């Protein structure tokens, strides 16, 4: 009698989650359910109620389904039977055990299967559920997110913490961030983000089918991390006052943000700014198996009319007249690693996408993915949103003075956008400069070629005029918040004749997006005389008593020096943003760092301000260190000038390895100072 497995009854089964999840590098998500990566086999044990499995005689029908309307046409349903061996290029199943009442079944998902939740039906009686993710560890992953380097894989997929660079291009400051993509419940929230996207709500079958493609998924994430068109995660706010929410500076990681969105019925979390949007997109991408990193572009242009030129206007005091076209002190986006079979060869690798809502793309606030290589080569017709990203790193800056009589005249400035494009180095906390991936060297033939291709006429025509007069802003190395210090306008006369000039030297608070605040100090010298070849250094004193209440949480001051030559009426200008340094948080770990052993972090911060700090609070969090939550400790007393704020916070690590403890200090006058400490947790 031919006996088929179909007629036999499975009594029970074991999904071997611990073995499979470890093998598929998803064990940090936990081993209580099956989470596997596509194109890589996994094994399950099936126990027969009666009878036994006979090779060549028994057969088994397998059906894998995902999404609300599974269909073979959409690739969201697959039917397959037993074969002699596993075939990693498609859905397949093979038995790896001798005849008997236990069947060790090996299963492989197709390398281009849509990611998400699956139900696998085996014969009549077994229904198992599992989650399928992209597979950067497996070169069979056809729409590839494959990374062939173990260190890159550890950094861009498996690492749950990192550094995001802020500050300014002269002084990049690393901000620690807890991505936490493997913490409890986060993967489910990431899948919910995909399910809430408008394309899925309109046509779930088509959307689930699209999830086979990391290009599609990263574009959906770019739209869903902001809430501008949908039930997205974060609401952005760039002006003062964060009523009804918290300052973007409050966040230390992505966990709280994602969990808040999930528990608040997909209401947007308030508030985010660019580094927060980018960090959350990075967490979700890594959770789904797409290698991802956060990058920072200093002096980032926001070109609203796609002419690759930022036109800035100043008044006769050198003060900026606000417009929609801005140069952000820095701007953060993400890069995801994948192939681009939709484009011509050579454009695989890092793809830039930007979840910060700035301009609409195909009617929605999203941006990318666009190959970083396409930006470098000036290929502005490639998908998606190449002109906007190209302008961020390459736009030209023209400055005009608007006079009281309404007339305008050109001002000579030397503002270069797209400086020191930065990301965290692989395997270390150093800053890696990746500007060369976005642009050819300034003035090179290749740069000219890229500009020609991009039709960037302005940069091609521009000849640097060798100005007779030159102005620069020099600063002292020690510019700490709470101190008084000098900054200098340095004027040089490179001509053969004596020059008489007016010098306006001003400073004001500024946000990182370029929005100006109050005046922090101002000088107007109507009679600056310069001998031929002469130089003059003009100091401007910045007093804490003046700037202390004006600077935003970004700790930025804009310096602008405008020089007007009385004889030629020519105006030249130098602009520089300076960042006021926060004090360092000293972190001491007390106890032996071991798995499941209680430790203490002793945190100390010295008050650098000439005034008392009130409502002082330290907070810590860290992947596999603080149980997926934030632990806070408030000080019972105020902290006077020069005094130390000090607390001990206890935590219990639950996983061995190198971990980052992210620390935050907040008070009434010194807001959201960040620090971190790397800790190696032993087994």
């Amino acid at each position: 009698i031919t006996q088929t497995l179909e007629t036999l009854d499975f009594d029970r089964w074991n999904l071997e989650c611990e073995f499979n999840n470890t093998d598929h590098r998803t064990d940090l998500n936990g081993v209580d359910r099956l989470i596997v990566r596509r194109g890589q086999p996994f094994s399950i044990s099936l126990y027969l109620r009666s009878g036994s499995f006979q090779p060549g005689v028994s057969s088994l029908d397998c059906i894998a389904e995902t999404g609300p309307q599974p269909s073979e046409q959409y690739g969201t349903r697959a039917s397959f039977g037993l074969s002699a061996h596993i075939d990693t290029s498609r859905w397949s199943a093979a038995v790896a055990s001798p005849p008997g009442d236990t069947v060790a079944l090996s299963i492989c998902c197709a390398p281009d299967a849509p990611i998400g939740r699956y139900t696998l039906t085996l014969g009549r009686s077994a229904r198992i559920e599992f989650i399928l993710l992209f597979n950067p560890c497996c070169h069979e992953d056809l729409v590839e997110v494959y990374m062939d380097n173990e260190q890159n894989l550890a950094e861009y997929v498996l690492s749950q913490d990192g550094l995001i660079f802020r500050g300014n291009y002269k002084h990049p400051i690393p901000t620690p961030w807890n991505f936490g993509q493997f913490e409890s419940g986060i993967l489910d929230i990431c899948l919910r983000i995909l399910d809430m996207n408008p394309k899925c709500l309109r046509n779930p079958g088509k959307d689930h089918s699209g999830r086979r493609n990391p290009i599609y998924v990263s574009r959906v994430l770019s739209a869903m991390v902001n809430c501008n068109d949908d039930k997205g995660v974060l609401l952005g706010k760039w002006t003062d006052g964060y009523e009804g929410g918290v300052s973007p500076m409050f966040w230390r990681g992505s966990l709280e943000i994602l969990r808040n969105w999930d528990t608040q019925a997909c209401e947007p979390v308030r508030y985010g700014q660019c580094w927060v949007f980018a960090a959350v997109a990075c967490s979700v991408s890594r959770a789904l198996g797409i290698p991802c990193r956060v990058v920072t572009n200093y002096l980032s242009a926001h070109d609203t009319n796609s002419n690759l030129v930022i036109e800035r206007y100043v008044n006769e005091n050198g003060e900026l007249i606000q417009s929609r076209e801005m140069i952000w002190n820095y701007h953060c986006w993400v890069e995801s690693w994948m192939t681009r079979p939709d484009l011509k060869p050579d454009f695989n690798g890092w793809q830039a996408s930007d979840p910060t809502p700035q301009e609409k793309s195909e009617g929605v606030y999203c941006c990318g993915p666009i190959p970083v290589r396409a930006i470098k080569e000036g290929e502005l017709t490639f998908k998606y949103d190449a002109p906007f990203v190209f302008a961020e790193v390459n736009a030209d800056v023209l400055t005009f003075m608007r006079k009281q009589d309404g007339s305008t005249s050109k001002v000579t400035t030397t503002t270069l956008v797209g400086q020191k494009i930065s990301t965290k180095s692989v395997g270390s906390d150093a800053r890696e400069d990746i500007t060369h991936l976005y642009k050819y060297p300034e003035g090179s033939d290749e740069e000219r070629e890229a500009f020609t291709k991009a039709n960037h006429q302005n940069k091609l025509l521009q000849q640097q005029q060798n100005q007779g007069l030159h102005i620069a802003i020099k600063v002292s190395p020690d510019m700490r918040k709470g101190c008084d210090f000098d900054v200098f306008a340095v004027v040089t006369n490179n001509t053969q004749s004596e020059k008489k000039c007016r010098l306006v030297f001003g400073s004001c608070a500024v946000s990182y997006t370029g929005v100006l605040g109050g005046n922090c100090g101002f000088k107007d010298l109507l009679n600056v005389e310069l001998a031929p070849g002469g130089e003059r250094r003009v100091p401007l004193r910045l007093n804490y008593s003046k700037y202390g209440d004006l600077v935003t949480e970004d700790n930025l001051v804009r310096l602008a020096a405008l020089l007007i030559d009385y004889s030629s009426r020519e105006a030249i200008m130098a602009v520089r943003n300076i960042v006021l340094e926060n004090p360092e948080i000293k972190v001491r770990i007390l106890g032996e760092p071991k798995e499941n052993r209680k430790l203490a972090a002793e945190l100390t911060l010295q008050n650098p301000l000439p005034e008392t700090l009130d409502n002082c609070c330290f907070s810590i969090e860290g992947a596999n260190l603080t149980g997926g939550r934030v632990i806070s400790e408030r000080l019972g007393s105020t902290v006077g000038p020069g005094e130390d704020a000090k607390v001990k916070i206890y935590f219990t690590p639950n996983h061995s390895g190198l971990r980052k403890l992210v620390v935050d200090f907040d008070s009434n006058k010194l807001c959201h100072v960040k620090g971190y400490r790397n800790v190696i947790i032993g087994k």
Side-chain angles (χ1 to χ4, degrees):
I1 301 166
T2 303
Q3 197 179 39
T4 67
L5 262 184
E6 267 191 314
T7 60
L8 295 173
D9 205 2
F10 293 122
D11 178 33
R12 58 198 167 85
W13 46 86
N14 182 343
L15 301 184
E16 312 291 357
C17 296
E18 187 155 354
F19 171 78
N20 287 319
N21 290 12
T22 304
D23 192 44
H24 285 245
R25 302 204 185 187
T26 62
D27 50 310
L28 281 172
N29 287 297
V31 291
D32 54 336
R33 57 182 175 164
L34 185 58
I35 303 170
V36 294
R37 299 187 187 276
R38 59 192 199 170
Q40 185 178 338
F42 61 94
S43 308
I44 58 175
S45 303
L46 299 157
Y47 302 93
L48 296 168
R49 202 180 293 269
S50 59
S52 68
F53 168 76
Q54 299 297 327
V57 176
S58 306
S59 70
L60 179 64
D61 291 329
C62 310
I63 298 168
E65 297 177 311
T66 186
Q69 301 149 9
S71 84
E72 310 246 341
Q73 177 204 344
Y74 274 147
T76 48
R77 183 179 193 273
S79 308
F80 52 103
L82 287 179
S83 39
H85 302 286
I86 282 291
D87 180 350
T88 54
S89 69
R90 59 183 182 84
W91 285 95
S92 60
V95 173
S97 57
D101 59 359
T102 305
V103 179
L105 188 67
S106 197
I107 298 164
C108 190
C109 310
D112 61 346
I115 61 159
R117 298 179 193 283
Y118 273 80
T119 303
L120 179 63
T121 308
L122 302 170
R124 286 188 204 145
S125 47
R127 272 173 74 84
I128 71 167
E129 293 188 344
F130 65 92
I131 292 174
L132 185 65
L133 302 177
F134 289 115
N135 196 347
C137 327
C138 163
H139 58 79
E140 292 284 357
D141 201 318
L142 290 182
V143 186
E144 284 186 37
V145 294
Y146 171 62
M147 289 198 122
D148 61 353
N149 178 309
E150 191 58 39
Q151 279 183 300
N152 287 354
L153 206 60
E155 182 71 54
Y156 299 132
V157 182
L158 302 176
S159 179
Q160 294 198 79
D161 47 50
L163 299 173
I164 298 169
F165 289 90
R166 297 175 54 243
N168 70 9
Y169 86 104
K170 295 272 193 189
H171 188 51
I173 296 177
T175 300
W177 193 269
N178 178 20
F179 295 112
Q181 68 269 28
F182 300 123
E183 293 279 16
S184 172
I186 294 300
L187 179 55
D188 300 276
I189 296 169
C190 295
L191 293 174
R192 189 179 186 190
I193 289 171
L194 296 183
D195 289 344
M196 293 307 294
N197 98 75
K199 290 176 179 174
C200 183
L201 300 177
R202 274 197 305 274
N203 187 338
K206 194 175 174 193
D207 174 77
H208 277 76
S209 172
R211 296 182 193 182
R212 68 181 59 215
N213 187 341
I215 303 166
Y216 176 82
V217 171
S218 64
R219 188 151 171 83
V220 164
L221 290 182
S222 165
M224 282 300 292
V225 169
N226 70 70
C227 67
N228 287 41
D229 313 277
D230 43 51
K231 294 189 88 64
V233 177
L234 275 160
L235 179 62
K237 195 167 196 295
W238 283 267
T239 46
D240 277 355
Y242 299 111
E243 308 78 24
V246 296
S247 153
M249 293 286 288
F250 169 84
W251 309 111
R252 293 153 295 266
S254 306
L255 292 182
E256 243 182 309
I257 295 168
L258 290 166
R259 285 183 180 147
N260 287 356
W261 176 80
D262 187 50
T263 55
Q264 293 163 11
C266 308
E267 278 298 305
V269 177
R270 298 158 192 261
Y271 293 96
Q273 286 174 5
C274 71
W275 73 95
V276 185
F277 286 110
V280 170
C282 184
S283 294
V284 180
S285 300
R286 288 182 184 181
L288 298 175
I290 301 173
C292 191
R293 63 188 186 185
V294 177
V295 303
T296 303
N297 176 40
Y298 288 99
L299 296 178
S300 189
H302 184 147
D303 177 26
T304 56
N305 59 6
S306 301
N307 67 349
L308 307 182
V309 178
I310 303 292
E311 293 182 345
R312 295 198 300 188
Y313 290 87
V314 296
N315 63 19
E316 289 177 278
N317 285 336
E319 294 161 342
L320 199 60
I321 298 164
Q322 301 283 180
S323 75
R324 271 203 75 208
E325 294 210 320
M326 305 284 279
I327 296 167
W328 289 23
N329 189 48
Y330 62 83
H331 180 49
C332 300
W333 57 76
V334 290
E335 290 176 359
S336 307
W337 180 268
M338 64 189 77
T339 57
R340 288 302 294 263
D342 58 326
L343 301 175
K344 57 190 186 191
D346 298 335
F347 290 91
N348 301 333
W350 290 116
Q351 315 286 319
S353 60
D354 190 349
T356 300
Q358 295 177 91
E359 299 293 316
K360 286 193 172 186
S361 168
E362 296 178 339
V364 174
Y365 279 102
C366 68
C367 177
I370 177 71
V372 171
R373 177 86 192 271
I375 301 306
K376 185 171 181 172
E377 302 297 343
E379 295 281 6
L380 301 198
T381 59
F382 283 11
K383 286 184 167 177
Y384 293 86
D385 310 305
F388 187 77
V389 181
F390 183 86
E392 287 182 307
V393 300
N394 280 315
D396 211 7
V397 184
L398 299 180
T399 306
F400 300 93
M401 186 192 295
R402 191 168 280 157
K403 300 179 182 160
Q404 281 179 330
D405 62 9
S407 65
T408 58
S409 62
K410 195 166 183 298
V411 179
T412 305
T413 55
T414 51
T415 303
L416 297 172
V417 308
Q419 297 291 302
K420 269 195 193 162
I421 304 173
S422 303
T423 191
K424 178 189 174 299
S425 290
V426 173
S428 94
D429 287 343
R431 183 184 71 85
E432 184 184 348
D433 195 307
I434 55 169
T435 313
H436 64 282
L437 299 181
Y438 281 85
K439 341 182 3 168
Y440 283 106
E442 200 88 25
S444 65
D445 291 348
E446 294 91 342
E447 184 197 45
R448 233 186 332 276
E449 247 169 77
F451 287 157
T452 305
K453 206 179 284 178
N455 199 19
H456 193 358
Q457 299 303 339
N458 217 64
K459 270 247 166 117
L460 290 168
L461 294 171
Q462 199 185 43
Q463 288 301 311
Q464 228 9 76
Q465 297 146 301
N466 183 19
Q467 283 293 326
L469 283 173
H470 183 262
I471 187 161
I473 295 172
K474 304 281 186 206
V475 299
S476 46
D478 208 17
M479 296 182 291
R480 293 196 306 271
K481 193 168 184 179
C483 293
D484 300 344
F485 55 89
D486 286 324
V487 291
F488 301 89
V490 180
V491 185
T492 318
N493 177 8
N494 296 323
T495 71
Q496 301 302 306
S497 52
E498 194 173 317
K499 290 283 185 185
K500 252 191 184 167
C501 310
R502 176 187 176 200
L503 173 67
V504 184
F505 191 15
S507 61
C508 65
V510 63
S511 77
Y512 86 97
T513 59
V515 178
L516 303 185
N519 164 26
C520 302
F522 184 78
K523 241 179 202 176
D524 189 353
L525 305 179
L526 295 171
N527 198 8
V528 176
E529 292 185 8
L530 289 161
E535 182 181 282
R536 177 107 184 254
R537 244 174 124 80
V538 178
L540 181 67
R541 189 79 172 155
L542 293 187
N543 293 309
Y544 175 75
S545 57
K546 188 85 186 276
Y547 72 72
D549 289 335
L550 297 176
V551 291
T552 68
E553 293 171 322
D554 298 314
N555 276 1
L556 289 170
V557 176
R558 177 183 185 266
L559 308 174
L562 177 67
L563 190 70
I564 298 167
D565 178 353
Y566 284 130
S567 56
S568 67
R569 304 304 302 161
E570 271 185 299
I572 59 170
M573 187 172 180
V575 177
R576 181 164 175 178
N577 287 348
I578 57 169
V579 59
L580 305 170
E581 278 205 76
N582 275 326
E584 184 195 352
I585 302 176
K586 293 195 166 70
V587 184
R588 258 181 80 209
I589 302 296
L590 310 176
E592 193 186 352
K594 276 198 165 176
E595 234 175 73
N596 302 316
R597 182 176 290 184
K598 195 175 192 178
L599 292 175
E602 185 184 78
L603 311 173
T604 314
L605 174 140
Q606 187 181 40
N607 176 11
L609 307 184
E611 52 189 327
T612 299
L613 301 180
D614 211 349
N615 299 329
C616 299
C617 179
F618 283 98
S619 303
I620 63 167
E621 73 171 281
N624 303 126
L625 291 176
T626 58
R629 62 197 181 95
V630 177
I631 307 173
S632 296
E633 189 73 45
R634 229 165 241 296
L635 268 72
S637 57
T638 58
V639 179
E643 290 180 3
D644 283 349
K646 195 171 190 174
V647 297
K648 253 186 214 165
I649 302 184
Y650 292 90
F651 64 101
T652 307
N654 62 1
H655 235 285
S656 61
L658 177 63
R659 305 280 171 238
K660 218 176 224 77
L661 187 72
V662 177
V663 183
D664 177 273
F665 171 83
D666 195 30
S667 69
N668 64 330
K669 291 284 180 186
L670 203 56
C671 299
H672 299 301
V673 179
K674 307 288 182 198
Y676 71 93
R677 172 75 188 265
N678 290 332
V679 193
I680 297 171
I681 306 297
K683 280 228 178 278

